[in-house]
């Protein structure tokens, strides 16, 4: 019984730190830093970046991250309505949602170490 409980606990932790799936900007929270990572399925650096983001999420309640590919529902909305220039993968943005609109705080081109992301999250400066 104890093993079953322990297994369920670890599964719930894994689910809790998974990338969120938002179908529109309206669904995104207003009170958090949101890390949007544009990726493609064949990108090994994108997968490495997700591991870094999971580690950050484990220690921050005010942080969400999402992986966006061209087959995601939200992809078209983001590309059409916001200045998200995508030239390399992963390309990522830290955004805040205010009054229903996304505001880009910072842009990253390529894979980023945890320390680089935390430095921006802990800064009061915007892009």
């Amino acid at each position: 019984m104890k093993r079953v409980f322990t297994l369920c606990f670890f599964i719930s932790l894994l689910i809790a730190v998974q990338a969120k799936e938002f179908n529109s900007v309206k669904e995104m929270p207003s009170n958090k830093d949101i890390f949007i990572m544009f990726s493609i399925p064949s990108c090994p650096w994108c997968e490495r970046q997700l591991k870094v983001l999971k580690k950050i999420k484990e220690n921050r309640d005010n942080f969400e991250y999402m992986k966006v590919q061209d087959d995601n529902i939200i992809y078209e909305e983001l590309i059409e309505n916001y200045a998200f220039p995508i030239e390399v993968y992963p390309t990522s943005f830290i955004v805040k949602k205010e009054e229903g609109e996304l505001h880009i705080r910072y842009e990253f081109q390529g894979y980023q170490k945890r320390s680089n992301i935390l430095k921006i999250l802990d800064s009061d400066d915007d892009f």
Side-chain angles (χ1 to χ4, degrees):
M1 185 67 165
K2 187 175 180 178
R3 287 183 184 168
V4 171
F5 175 77
T6 304
L7 180 62
C8 289
F9 175 75
F10 284 115
I11 290 172
S12 67
L13 280 178
L14 287 173
I15 292 170
V17 295
Q18 294 282 329
K20 291 280 185 172
E21 292 266 341
F22 299 108
N23 293 321
S24 73
V25 171
K26 291 178 186 174
E27 292 180 7
M28 298 169 83
S30 295
N31 58 347
K32 297 185 178 193
D33 288 308
I34 304 168
F35 191 98
I36 301 173
M37 182 184 75
F38 289 89
S39 70
I40 56 175
S42 61
C43 173
W45 290 104
C46 298
E47 293 305 313
R48 286 186 72 187
Q49 190 71 75
L50 282 176
K51 291 177 184 177
V52 169
L53 297 172
K54 286 178 186 179
K55 289 279 190 194
I56 293 171
K57 175 63 180 158
E58 288 173 2
N59 298 313
R60 290 184 176 254
D61 292 332
N62 65 338
F63 178 77
E64 292 293 343
Y65 66 96
M66 59 187 288
K67 179 173 84 170
V68 177
Q69 296 178 341
D70 63 1
D71 63 347
N72 292 107
I73 294 171
I74 197 170
Y75 177 85
E76 290 297 323
E77 180 182 4
L78 293 174
I79 296 300
E80 288 177 12
N81 297 318
Y82 299 96
F84 290 125
I86 315 298
E87 295 182 17
V88 299
Y89 293 101
T91 294
S92 306
F93 302 87
I94 295 177
V95 300
K96 279 273 196 190
K97 182 178 164 188
E98 296 171 351
E99 298 178 12
E101 293 292 320
L102 296 183
H103 299 277
I104 299 172
R105 288 193 57 212
Y106 204 82
E107 175 184 345
F108 296 103
Q109 295 288 322
Y111 170 82
Q112 298 297 312
K113 296 187 296 185
R114 184 172 179 248
S115 61
N116 291 348
I117 297 169
L118 291 175
K119 186 184 303 182
I120 299 303
L121 290 173
D122 293 336
S123 169
D124 291 333
D125 294 335
D126 285 340
F127 180 60

